[in-house]
Amino acid sequence: MDLNFLVQQFLNALQLGSLYALIALGYTMVYGVLLLINFAHGDIFMVGAFLGVFGSMVLNLPFVPTLLLSMVLTAILGVVIERVAYKPLRHASRLSAVITALGVGLLLENGMLALTGADPRNYPENFIVTETYDVAGFSISNVKILIIVLSILLFLGLYAIVQRTKWGMAMRAISYDKFAVPLMGVSQDQIISLTFILGTGLAAAAGILWGVAFPVLNPYMGLRVGWKAFIAAVVGGIGDIRGAFLGGLLLGFVEIFVVALGQPFGISSTWRDPIAFALLLIILVVRPTGLFGVARRQKV
Amino acid sequence: MPLLEISHLTHYFGGLRAVSDFNLSLEHGELIGLIGPNGAGKTTIFNLVTGAYKASEGSIKLEGQELVGRSPHEINSMGISRTFQTIRLWGQMTVLDNVRVAHYHSIRYGLMDVFLQLPRYQKQEREIEEHSRELLRLFKLEHYAYEPAMNLPYGVQRRVEILRAMGGRPKLLLLDEPAAGMNPNEIGELMDFIHWIRDEFDLTIWLIEHQMRLVMNICERIKVLDFGETIAEGVPEEIQNNPRVIEAYLGEQGEVA
Amino acid sequence: MLSAIRNRFSRLVAPLRERLQGTPLLVYQLGILGAVVIEQWVGKDFARTLAFRKIPKLFGIVDIFEPFSNLDFSGILGPFFPSPSMTVSNPVSQSAGAIGDLIQTFVNALFYQGRRDPGFFSVLIRVVVYDLVIYVLPTLIIVLLLRGVITRFLRTLPRWANIGIHLVLFYLIIVGWGGDGGTRELVLIFMGINIMLSVSLNLVNGYMGEFSVGHAGFMAVGAYVSSVITMVLFADTRVFGPPLLPPEWGLPFGFIIALIAGGIAAAIAGLLVAFPSFRTRGDYLAIVTLAVNFIVQGVINNLEVVGGPRGLNGVPLWTNLNWTLLFTLISLGLIYNLVNSTFGKGIIAVREDEIAAELMGVNTRRVKLVAFLVSSFIAGMAGGLFAHQLAYVNPGVFGILKSTEVLVMVYLGGMGSISGSVIAAVIFTILIEALRPLAVLKWVVVPLILILLMIYRPQGLFGFRELNLNLGMSRSASRKKIVTSEASDAITGD
């Protein structure tokens, strides 16, 4: 196993992990504000990726405008979903909302399949031209760097919003006390909308970056990726955005290195998923509330 | 041998000492009270005795057997039952089912007996059902038997909680603020009721209460707790005139009695 | 407007309803049996008279949707999300064109599609006529005729005879209507499997109040383990070679043992969820179940012995209506007895307030363990039946989608309700079968129903209640009923 191989794997892990992380952020933010597992989030990621096809193939836009367009449109979709499907259930049992989210997810993926057909899509060749640089003897692809850097920037931007702005503070406060937030001069509805805008926007970005890195898009692409990112969010400690980001990276590293380190021992790459999930399971058993989650003591 | 013997019981939440060096010896058939300002650690002591929390230090013995380290359901099966400060009935279940489940520790049948409805199962279920109905009758609650617990008026729920606690045939009953939310009339009835169950079921009762009228009237012995420490102990008259107790309560209630 | 129709309809049937009030179940059973006999006798001819080629499928529900089978919606948004092979010049006009075509096809489907393919309305009217003449009217006539006699007769029966006669009639109806070895039998078999799945998941999600989202994982374990057992022992297959035991031993004993072994294996897999459940609750436990589903799928994918992702071919085709009925009834019996025992009420107490349950003496760990084990055991047996019905299993079938299907059934029927789960499984199976002509649109309709249900009736059809069957027993016979079920009956009266 040479050093170059390890560096490549490291980059692969960072790339995959940061994509998981971007999706996981949306799960964790919605959970933090509404205590709702938004099972439709993986499919929103898919819609984001598909809107990238719209931007690049139909409108012939370059990368950055496509990314922004997809983020904006997906964010609108996110808010609409919240208003139409989740808001009526805000005072119902949490379970109804979760089941509804499952339904919305199914609706998105199967609706997309029914309305657009089953052919796999990809972005045009000139969308991002792959180049490989030679840095200190290691070959590094521009796509990976782009994905990693962009993901980290988006995360830092989100972190700044959540930590520094009035809106972000209200967002963090709302999960502790629903009634205190209106006192700060922002309405609960506004905060929830903002949460969905940020979360779904990031999922759209992840969708497009995913399409650049793994260029096969289909309506079911969000299913597995979404559930995995969700698990990553939980492992990080759902409700905490740093946890979600780290959880995503962790999942990426586990998946890539299970394959990379397992190969010499005859563990084929198809063991990636079960081993990754088993590891995450162990983490949850040892730390039931995730890496960053705070155990809320049950009062007797 | 005393029924319950607590010695040097101490409990920490993180760095905070919630209970320190609590001692108590409870004889069979006694009716004693535990009072103290809010946050004094009264409910914590109940939680330690029933196993909801594991004591940091000290020992709790029921008829000579150590309780610290045992799980709550085990302690319940050994003969300690309780009610809660805020009602914790199983709301969607009927009153009868609430009482039935309290018999859980007396179940001796296995899963196969359940699946195949074997005689052993039928016999035990019949006993549980009969005992539950007997209790309902004694508590004059039989007409609520099939009512989901959450639909009952507050005062009835309080009684059902005591009824449920009796399902496990306890030797020691812990009542956590049984008079909370009751008006003076109801408190009067409750006092008679507590006396009655002690005599009827040959129980030992230990209660936490803020209503001084109730405590002073029915408890034979009272312990006063403040900031986790015992500041006084004695018969009601002694407690009423104890300067430390008056001081502890001054901030909160102004007078004792 | 809808409510106006409903009012008028209910006024129309009100006198009938009044007359039928308090009619015991057995009378309806006899009526339905009569209808089944009539269908056997004149059904085919009557269908031909109505210009059907065959007896309408599933009361004609399938036939009604058939005209829409060639609707293609993919042109609507397709031009906006083109695949590389597609040439798009003006997506808006392309899409408009597709919508125009779609409307055309839709209108054709409604009215007339050519000689061999009648339109929707034509089918609908004929299906309604068929159902009225063959099923509804005979049933009603028999019910009205036999009502008094049967009601009196039932009062004279002891409890065991009462239940026995209901079961016999139920069996006759099922076999008479569905034992055709064709579509009906297949649908009934899937119905039975779905009932097992939804009732068993309801034990965990409804009665215990946890949120398991990985039920298909346990089904997979049962399917594979039972298949491997029957294939190795009793079948000559390419994968495992000649059978180790004489194939004629396979039925009935081999099959029963294989199904139970599948259930046990699934229960062992259930430990993967049960142990974490001691420390973890709610959302975190949901993840554990999800992860277990993924792990099971992933492991099977990697087991070359059982074909890996290609799946396992050549499972004996042993599942039939009788086996399915037997195992469905056993599963229902297990769960019913469990949740009505004091031990089982402990499961519900855990849902209502776990800490109070533990403090009142309920061994919550044991209760959880049992709930998860029984639940996954039944799911495993259902998986075994499933595999021996299809003769082919692959890990892809047992994914999150399958788990979601089961969740849909549980919440459609209502948490903590066995009859709700049964009815939901029946409705769901028929719905899926009926919507089959609509292809992918089926999976748009199902989640839509789910969402509307959650918004307008979040407790499901029968949340925390049971359907009360009128068995027409005399008081003394029903007194003998084991005391415990009375409590649940009493709260269920609607």
Short mmCIF file of all heavy atoms in Angstrom, two decimals, chain A residues 31 50 58 89 94-95 99-100 103 107 110 113-115 117 121-122 224 227 230 234 270 277 285 288-289, chain C residues 73-74 77-78 80-81 83-84 279 283-284 287 290 294-295 302 400-401 411 415 440 443-444 447 454 458:
data_model
loop_
_atom_site.label_atom_id
_atom_site.label_comp_id
_atom_site.label_asym_id
_atom_site.label_seq_id
_atom_site.Cartn_x
_atom_site.Cartn_y
_atom_site.Cartn_z
N TYR A 31 -34.65 18.60 12.57
CA TYR A 31 -34.91 17.91 13.84
C TYR A 31 -34.76 18.88 15.01
O TYR A 31 -35.55 18.88 15.94
CB TYR A 31 -33.96 16.73 14.00
CG TYR A 31 -34.34 15.87 15.16
CD1 TYR A 31 -35.24 14.83 14.99
CD2 TYR A 31 -33.83 16.10 16.43
CE1 TYR A 31 -35.62 14.04 16.07
CE2 TYR A 31 -34.21 15.33 17.50
CZ TYR A 31 -35.09 14.30 17.32
OH TYR A 31 -35.48 13.52 18.37
N PHE A 50 -31.60 16.79 -9.78
CA PHE A 50 -32.34 16.85 -11.05
C PHE A 50 -32.48 18.28 -11.55
O PHE A 50 -32.41 18.54 -12.75
CB PHE A 50 -33.73 16.20 -10.89
CG PHE A 50 -33.73 14.75 -11.24
CD1 PHE A 50 -32.98 13.84 -10.53
CD2 PHE A 50 -34.45 14.29 -12.35
CE1 PHE A 50 -32.96 12.51 -10.87
CE2 PHE A 50 -34.44 12.94 -12.69
CZ PHE A 50 -33.69 12.06 -11.96
N VAL A 58 -30.90 22.15 -20.03
CA VAL A 58 -31.97 22.88 -20.71
C VAL A 58 -31.65 24.36 -20.82
O VAL A 58 -31.76 24.95 -21.88
CB VAL A 58 -33.31 22.67 -19.98
CG1 VAL A 58 -34.42 23.46 -20.64
CG2 VAL A 58 -33.67 21.19 -19.95
N LEU A 89 -49.70 19.39 10.79
CA LEU A 89 -49.46 18.36 11.81
C LEU A 89 -48.62 18.87 12.97
O LEU A 89 -48.18 18.08 13.79
CB LEU A 89 -48.76 17.17 11.16
CG LEU A 89 -49.61 16.40 10.17
CD1 LEU A 89 -48.76 15.48 9.35
CD2 LEU A 89 -50.67 15.63 10.92
N ARG A 94 -46.04 13.46 17.13
CA ARG A 94 -44.81 13.51 16.34
C ARG A 94 -44.80 12.41 15.30
O ARG A 94 -44.28 12.57 14.21
CB ARG A 94 -43.61 13.33 17.26
CG ARG A 94 -43.23 14.58 17.99
CD ARG A 94 -42.00 14.31 18.82
NE ARG A 94 -40.92 13.76 18.02
CZ ARG A 94 -39.94 13.03 18.51
NH1 ARG A 94 -39.90 12.77 19.77
NH2 ARG A 94 -38.99 12.57 17.73
N LEU A 95 -45.40 11.29 15.67
CA LEU A 95 -45.37 10.15 14.77
C LEU A 95 -46.09 10.44 13.46
O LEU A 95 -45.61 10.10 12.38
CB LEU A 95 -46.02 8.96 15.47
CG LEU A 95 -45.57 7.63 14.93
CD1 LEU A 95 -44.12 7.43 15.28
CD2 LEU A 95 -46.41 6.54 15.50
N ILE A 99 -44.50 9.93 9.75
CA ILE A 99 -45.10 9.09 8.71
C ILE A 99 -45.41 9.94 7.47
O ILE A 99 -45.20 9.51 6.34
CB ILE A 99 -46.41 8.45 9.22
CG1 ILE A 99 -46.14 7.67 10.49
CG2 ILE A 99 -47.03 7.57 8.17
CD1 ILE A 99 -45.45 6.41 10.28
N THR A 100 -45.90 11.15 7.70
CA THR A 100 -46.15 12.03 6.58
C THR A 100 -44.87 12.30 5.80
O THR A 100 -44.86 12.29 4.57
CB THR A 100 -46.73 13.37 7.09
OG1 THR A 100 -47.86 13.08 7.89
CG2 THR A 100 -47.14 14.25 5.94
N GLY A 103 -44.18 9.57 3.60
CA GLY A 103 -45.07 9.63 2.45
C GLY A 103 -44.59 10.67 1.44
O GLY A 103 -44.58 10.42 0.24
N LEU A 107 -43.58 10.09 -2.38
CA LEU A 107 -44.27 10.87 -3.40
C LEU A 107 -43.27 11.56 -4.32
O LEU A 107 -43.41 11.55 -5.54
CB LEU A 107 -45.15 11.91 -2.70
CG LEU A 107 -46.22 12.57 -3.54
CD1 LEU A 107 -47.22 11.53 -3.98
CD2 LEU A 107 -46.91 13.65 -2.71
N ASN A 110 -41.31 8.77 -6.48
CA ASN A 110 -42.14 8.11 -7.49
C ASN A 110 -42.81 9.10 -8.42
O ASN A 110 -43.01 8.81 -9.60
CB ASN A 110 -43.17 7.22 -6.80
CG ASN A 110 -42.51 6.07 -6.08
OD1 ASN A 110 -41.86 5.25 -6.69
ND2 ASN A 110 -42.64 6.05 -4.76
N LEU A 113 -40.25 9.89 -10.92
CA LEU A 113 -40.13 8.78 -11.88
C LEU A 113 -41.30 8.81 -12.87
O LEU A 113 -41.12 8.69 -14.08
CB LEU A 113 -40.11 7.45 -11.12
CG LEU A 113 -39.95 6.20 -11.98
CD1 LEU A 113 -38.61 6.22 -12.68
CD2 LEU A 113 -40.08 4.95 -11.13
N ALA A 114 -42.51 9.02 -12.35
CA ALA A 114 -43.68 8.98 -13.22
C ALA A 114 -43.69 10.16 -14.19
O ALA A 114 -44.05 10.01 -15.35
CB ALA A 114 -44.95 9.02 -12.37
N LEU A 115 -43.26 11.30 -13.70
CA LEU A 115 -43.38 12.51 -14.53
C LEU A 115 -42.20 12.73 -15.46
O LEU A 115 -42.29 13.52 -16.40
CB LEU A 115 -43.57 13.74 -13.65
CG LEU A 115 -44.87 13.80 -12.85
CD1 LEU A 115 -44.92 15.03 -11.97
CD2 LEU A 115 -46.07 13.79 -13.79
N GLY A 117 -39.81 9.96 -16.38
CA GLY A 117 -39.26 8.77 -17.03
C GLY A 117 -38.08 8.20 -16.29
O GLY A 117 -37.54 8.81 -15.36
N ARG A 121 -29.88 10.11 -15.85
CA ARG A 121 -29.43 11.42 -16.36
C ARG A 121 -28.00 11.65 -15.93
O ARG A 121 -27.51 11.03 -15.00
CB ARG A 121 -30.28 12.56 -15.78
CG ARG A 121 -31.73 12.31 -15.61
CD ARG A 121 -32.42 12.11 -16.93
NE ARG A 121 -33.54 11.20 -16.75
CZ ARG A 121 -34.76 11.59 -16.41
NH1 ARG A 121 -35.00 12.86 -16.23
NH2 ARG A 121 -35.73 10.72 -16.24
N ASN A 122 -27.36 12.59 -16.60
CA ASN A 122 -26.10 13.12 -16.07
C ASN A 122 -25.90 14.53 -16.58
O ASN A 122 -26.64 15.01 -17.43
CB ASN A 122 -24.93 12.21 -16.41
CG ASN A 122 -24.83 11.90 -17.86
OD1 ASN A 122 -25.10 10.79 -18.31
ND2 ASN A 122 -24.49 12.90 -18.67
N ARG A 224 -31.16 5.70 -0.72
CA ARG A 224 -30.10 5.11 0.09
C ARG A 224 -29.20 6.17 0.68
O ARG A 224 -28.87 6.13 1.87
CB ARG A 224 -29.29 4.16 -0.80
CG ARG A 224 -28.98 2.89 -0.12
CD ARG A 224 -28.26 1.95 -1.07
NE ARG A 224 -27.54 0.99 -0.27
CZ ARG A 224 -28.14 0.03 0.44
NH1 ARG A 224 -29.45 -0.08 0.41
NH2 ARG A 224 -27.42 -0.80 1.16
N TRP A 227 -30.99 7.98 3.59
CA TRP A 227 -31.05 7.23 4.84
C TRP A 227 -29.67 7.16 5.49
O TRP A 227 -29.55 7.24 6.71
CB TRP A 227 -31.53 5.80 4.58
CG TRP A 227 -32.99 5.70 4.22
CD1 TRP A 227 -33.49 5.60 2.96
CD2 TRP A 227 -34.11 5.67 5.09
NE1 TRP A 227 -34.86 5.51 3.00
CE2 TRP A 227 -35.27 5.54 4.29
CE3 TRP A 227 -34.26 5.73 6.48
CZ2 TRP A 227 -36.55 5.48 4.84
CZ3 TRP A 227 -35.53 5.66 7.01
CH2 TRP A 227 -36.66 5.55 6.19
N PHE A 230 -28.88 10.36 7.10
CA PHE A 230 -29.68 10.46 8.32
C PHE A 230 -29.00 9.73 9.47
O PHE A 230 -28.88 10.24 10.58
CB PHE A 230 -31.07 9.88 8.03
CG PHE A 230 -31.90 9.69 9.24
CD1 PHE A 230 -32.07 10.73 10.13
CD2 PHE A 230 -32.52 8.48 9.49
CE1 PHE A 230 -32.85 10.56 11.26
CE2 PHE A 230 -33.29 8.32 10.61
CZ PHE A 230 -33.46 9.34 11.49
N VAL A 234 -27.56 11.17 13.05
CA VAL A 234 -27.86 10.63 14.37
C VAL A 234 -26.59 10.26 15.12
O VAL A 234 -26.45 10.50 16.31
CB VAL A 234 -28.79 9.42 14.26
CG1 VAL A 234 -29.01 8.80 15.61
CG2 VAL A 234 -30.11 9.85 13.66
N THR A 270 -18.16 -4.85 -1.52
CA THR A 270 -19.58 -4.94 -1.25
C THR A 270 -19.89 -5.06 0.24
O THR A 270 -21.02 -4.97 0.66
CB THR A 270 -20.20 -6.15 -1.96
OG1 THR A 270 -19.38 -7.28 -1.70
CG2 THR A 270 -20.29 -5.92 -3.45
N PHE A 277 -22.53 0.25 8.60
CA PHE A 277 -23.71 0.35 9.47
C PHE A 277 -23.49 -0.33 10.80
O PHE A 277 -23.97 0.13 11.83
CB PHE A 277 -24.94 -0.23 8.77
CG PHE A 277 -25.47 0.67 7.71
CD1 PHE A 277 -25.60 0.24 6.41
CD2 PHE A 277 -25.83 1.96 8.01
CE1 PHE A 277 -26.08 1.09 5.42
CE2 PHE A 277 -26.31 2.82 7.04
CZ PHE A 277 -26.44 2.37 5.73
N VAL A 285 -24.80 2.21 20.31
CA VAL A 285 -25.03 1.41 21.51
C VAL A 285 -24.16 1.93 22.65
O VAL A 285 -24.59 2.02 23.80
CB VAL A 285 -24.76 -0.08 21.22
CG1 VAL A 285 -24.78 -0.87 22.51
CG2 VAL A 285 -25.80 -0.61 20.25
N PRO A 288 -25.62 6.26 23.31
CA PRO A 288 -26.98 6.22 22.74
C PRO A 288 -27.46 7.55 22.18
O PRO A 288 -28.37 7.57 21.39
CB PRO A 288 -27.84 5.80 23.93
CG PRO A 288 -26.90 5.13 24.86
CD PRO A 288 -25.59 5.81 24.69
N THR A 289 -26.88 8.66 22.59
CA THR A 289 -27.38 9.91 22.05
C THR A 289 -26.43 10.51 21.01
O THR A 289 -26.52 11.68 20.68
CB THR A 289 -27.59 10.94 23.16
OG1 THR A 289 -26.41 10.98 23.96
CG2 THR A 289 -28.78 10.57 24.01
N PHE C 73 -47.03 9.47 -18.14
CA PHE C 73 -46.90 10.85 -17.66
C PHE C 73 -45.50 11.39 -17.86
O PHE C 73 -45.23 12.54 -17.57
CB PHE C 73 -47.24 10.91 -16.16
CG PHE C 73 -48.67 10.62 -15.88
CD1 PHE C 73 -49.12 9.32 -15.76
CD2 PHE C 73 -49.58 11.65 -15.74
CE1 PHE C 73 -50.46 9.05 -15.50
CE2 PHE C 73 -50.91 11.39 -15.47
CZ PHE C 73 -51.36 10.08 -15.36
N SER C 74 -44.59 10.54 -18.31
CA SER C 74 -43.19 10.94 -18.27
C SER C 74 -42.86 12.05 -19.25
O SER C 74 -41.81 12.67 -19.17
CB SER C 74 -42.29 9.72 -18.52
OG SER C 74 -42.43 9.32 -19.87
N LEU C 77 -42.80 16.26 -17.45
CA LEU C 77 -41.61 16.95 -16.96
C LEU C 77 -40.34 16.42 -17.61
O LEU C 77 -39.27 16.98 -17.45
CB LEU C 77 -41.52 16.81 -15.43
CG LEU C 77 -42.52 17.64 -14.64
CD1 LEU C 77 -42.31 17.48 -13.14
CD2 LEU C 77 -42.43 19.11 -15.02
N GLY C 78 -40.45 15.32 -18.32
CA GLY C 78 -39.28 14.72 -18.96
C GLY C 78 -38.43 15.70 -19.74
O GLY C 78 -37.21 15.74 -19.57
N PHE C 80 -37.86 18.68 -19.34
CA PHE C 80 -37.10 19.62 -18.50
C PHE C 80 -35.92 18.94 -17.82
O PHE C 80 -35.02 19.59 -17.31
CB PHE C 80 -38.02 20.22 -17.43
CG PHE C 80 -39.10 21.08 -18.00
CD1 PHE C 80 -40.38 20.60 -18.15
CD2 PHE C 80 -38.81 22.38 -18.42
CE1 PHE C 80 -41.38 21.40 -18.70
CE2 PHE C 80 -39.79 23.18 -18.97
CZ PHE C 80 -41.09 22.68 -19.12
N PHE C 81 -35.97 17.62 -17.77
CA PHE C 81 -34.87 16.87 -17.14
C PHE C 81 -34.38 15.83 -18.13
O PHE C 81 -34.54 14.64 -17.89
CB PHE C 81 -35.34 16.21 -15.85
CG PHE C 81 -35.89 17.17 -14.85
CD1 PHE C 81 -37.26 17.38 -14.73
CD2 PHE C 81 -35.04 17.90 -14.02
CE1 PHE C 81 -37.77 18.27 -13.82
CE2 PHE C 81 -35.56 18.79 -13.10
CZ PHE C 81 -36.92 18.99 -13.00
N SER C 83 -32.51 13.14 -20.47
CA SER C 83 -31.38 12.23 -20.38
C SER C 83 -30.46 12.55 -21.56
O SER C 83 -30.88 13.19 -22.51
CB SER C 83 -31.88 10.79 -20.43
OG SER C 83 -32.47 10.55 -21.67
N PRO C 84 -29.20 12.11 -21.48
CA PRO C 84 -28.24 12.47 -22.53
C PRO C 84 -28.71 12.06 -23.93
O PRO C 84 -28.39 12.73 -24.91
CB PRO C 84 -26.98 11.69 -22.14
CG PRO C 84 -27.14 11.36 -20.72
CD PRO C 84 -28.59 11.29 -20.43
N ARG C 279 -31.37 0.53 26.26
CA ARG C 279 -30.79 1.81 26.63
C ARG C 279 -31.31 2.95 25.77
O ARG C 279 -31.20 4.11 26.14
CB ARG C 279 -29.26 1.75 26.49
CG ARG C 279 -28.59 0.80 27.45
CD ARG C 279 -27.09 0.96 27.39
NE ARG C 279 -26.66 2.32 27.70
CZ ARG C 279 -25.45 2.77 27.42
NH1 ARG C 279 -24.58 2.00 26.82
NH2 ARG C 279 -25.13 4.01 27.72
N ASP C 283 -36.33 8.08 18.60
CA ASP C 283 -35.69 8.29 17.31
C ASP C 283 -34.40 7.49 17.18
O ASP C 283 -34.08 7.00 16.10
CB ASP C 283 -35.38 9.78 17.13
CG ASP C 283 -36.66 10.61 17.19
OD1 ASP C 283 -37.69 10.08 16.77
OD2 ASP C 283 -36.60 11.75 17.66
N TYR C 284 -33.66 7.39 18.26
CA TYR C 284 -32.39 6.69 18.16
C TYR C 284 -32.60 5.20 17.93
O TYR C 284 -31.88 4.57 17.17
CB TYR C 284 -31.55 6.92 19.42
CG TYR C 284 -31.03 8.32 19.46
CD1 TYR C 284 -31.71 9.33 20.11
CD2 TYR C 284 -29.85 8.66 18.80
CE1 TYR C 284 -31.24 10.63 20.12
CE2 TYR C 284 -29.37 9.95 18.80
CZ TYR C 284 -30.07 10.94 19.47
OH TYR C 284 -29.61 12.21 19.46
N ILE C 287 -33.28 4.48 14.34
CA ILE C 287 -32.08 4.36 13.52
C ILE C 287 -31.49 2.97 13.64
O ILE C 287 -30.99 2.41 12.67
CB ILE C 287 -30.97 5.33 13.97
CG1 ILE C 287 -31.53 6.68 14.22
CG2 ILE C 287 -29.83 5.36 12.98
CD1 ILE C 287 -32.39 7.15 13.13
N LEU C 290 -33.35 0.72 11.47
CA LEU C 290 -33.01 1.03 10.08
C LEU C 290 -31.66 0.42 9.71
O LEU C 290 -31.50 -0.24 8.67
CB LEU C 290 -32.97 2.55 9.93
CG LEU C 290 -32.63 3.15 8.60
CD1 LEU C 290 -33.72 2.79 7.61
CD2 LEU C 290 -32.50 4.66 8.72
N PHE C 294 -30.50 -2.47 6.88
CA PHE C 294 -29.41 -2.31 5.91
C PHE C 294 -28.35 -3.40 6.09
O PHE C 294 -27.82 -3.95 5.13
CB PHE C 294 -28.74 -0.95 6.08
CG PHE C 294 -29.45 0.16 5.36
CD1 PHE C 294 -29.81 1.32 6.03
CD2 PHE C 294 -29.75 0.06 4.01
CE1 PHE C 294 -30.46 2.35 5.36
CE2 PHE C 294 -30.41 1.08 3.34
CZ PHE C 294 -30.76 2.23 4.03
N ILE C 295 -28.04 -3.72 7.36
CA ILE C 295 -27.00 -4.71 7.61
C ILE C 295 -27.43 -6.07 7.09
O ILE C 295 -26.67 -6.77 6.41
CB ILE C 295 -26.66 -4.77 9.12
CG1 ILE C 295 -25.96 -3.47 9.54
CG2 ILE C 295 -25.78 -5.97 9.43
CD1 ILE C 295 -25.79 -3.32 11.03
N ASN C 302 -23.67 -10.18 0.32
CA ASN C 302 -22.29 -10.65 0.29
C ASN C 302 -22.15 -12.15 0.52
O ASN C 302 -21.04 -12.66 0.52
CB ASN C 302 -21.47 -9.90 1.34
CG ASN C 302 -21.12 -8.52 0.84
OD1 ASN C 302 -20.30 -8.36 -0.04
ND2 ASN C 302 -21.79 -7.52 1.39
N ILE C 400 -35.78 -0.93 2.35
CA ILE C 400 -36.54 0.07 3.08
C ILE C 400 -37.95 0.23 2.51
O ILE C 400 -38.90 0.51 3.22
CB ILE C 400 -35.80 1.42 3.03
CG1 ILE C 400 -34.48 1.29 3.77
CG2 ILE C 400 -36.60 2.53 3.63
CD1 ILE C 400 -34.64 0.90 5.19
N LEU C 401 -38.08 0.03 1.19
CA LEU C 401 -39.40 0.19 0.59
C LEU C 401 -40.38 -0.82 1.17
O LEU C 401 -41.52 -0.49 1.46
CB LEU C 401 -39.31 0.01 -0.92
CG LEU C 401 -39.23 1.30 -1.73
CD1 LEU C 401 -39.07 1.01 -3.21
CD2 LEU C 401 -40.44 2.17 -1.47
N TYR C 411 -49.99 2.06 10.17
CA TYR C 411 -50.57 3.35 10.52
C TYR C 411 -51.89 3.61 9.81
O TYR C 411 -52.70 4.42 10.27
CB TYR C 411 -49.55 4.46 10.29
CG TYR C 411 -48.41 4.30 11.24
CD1 TYR C 411 -47.19 3.77 10.84
CD2 TYR C 411 -48.60 4.59 12.59
CE1 TYR C 411 -46.18 3.54 11.74
CE2 TYR C 411 -47.59 4.37 13.49
CZ TYR C 411 -46.38 3.85 13.07
OH TYR C 411 -45.38 3.63 13.97
N MET C 415 -52.54 2.36 15.37
CA MET C 415 -51.64 1.76 16.34
C MET C 415 -52.43 1.00 17.38
O MET C 415 -53.53 1.37 17.74
CB MET C 415 -50.82 2.85 17.03
CG MET C 415 -49.78 3.47 16.14
SD MET C 415 -49.18 5.01 16.80
CE MET C 415 -48.69 4.54 18.43
N VAL C 440 -46.06 2.80 -12.25
CA VAL C 440 -45.35 3.57 -11.23
C VAL C 440 -46.29 4.53 -10.51
O VAL C 440 -46.05 4.90 -9.37
CB VAL C 440 -44.15 4.32 -11.86
CG1 VAL C 440 -44.64 5.34 -12.87
CG2 VAL C 440 -43.32 4.99 -10.80
N TRP C 443 -47.31 3.99 -6.91
CA TRP C 443 -46.51 4.45 -5.77
C TRP C 443 -46.57 5.96 -5.59
O TRP C 443 -45.91 6.50 -4.73
CB TRP C 443 -45.08 3.95 -5.89
CG TRP C 443 -45.02 2.58 -5.36
CD1 TRP C 443 -44.89 1.43 -6.06
CD2 TRP C 443 -45.18 2.19 -4.00
NE1 TRP C 443 -44.95 0.35 -5.24
CE2 TRP C 443 -45.13 0.79 -3.96
CE3 TRP C 443 -45.39 2.89 -2.81
CZ2 TRP C 443 -45.26 0.09 -2.78
CZ3 TRP C 443 -45.51 2.18 -1.64
CH2 TRP C 443 -45.45 0.80 -1.64
N VAL C 444 -47.36 6.63 -6.43
CA VAL C 444 -47.69 8.01 -6.15
C VAL C 444 -48.99 8.05 -5.36
O VAL C 444 -49.14 8.85 -4.43
CB VAL C 444 -47.83 8.81 -7.47
CG1 VAL C 444 -48.23 10.23 -7.19
CG2 VAL C 444 -46.51 8.76 -8.24
N PRO C 447 -48.53 6.83 -1.31
CA PRO C 447 -48.10 7.85 -0.35
C PRO C 447 -49.07 9.02 -0.21
O PRO C 447 -49.20 9.57 0.87
CB PRO C 447 -46.75 8.33 -0.89
CG PRO C 447 -46.64 7.80 -2.25
CD PRO C 447 -47.52 6.62 -2.36
N MET C 454 -52.79 10.93 7.40
CA MET C 454 -52.12 11.48 8.57
C MET C 454 -52.65 12.88 8.89
O MET C 454 -52.71 13.29 10.05
CB MET C 454 -50.60 11.56 8.32
CG MET C 454 -49.92 10.24 8.47
SD MET C 454 -50.18 9.57 10.12
CE MET C 454 -50.60 7.90 9.75
N PRO C 458 -55.20 11.04 11.82
CA PRO C 458 -53.87 10.57 12.20
C PRO C 458 -53.90 9.29 13.03
O PRO C 458 -52.91 8.59 13.10
CB PRO C 458 -53.27 11.74 12.99
CG PRO C 458 -54.42 12.62 13.31
CD PRO C 458 -55.47 12.40 12.29
#
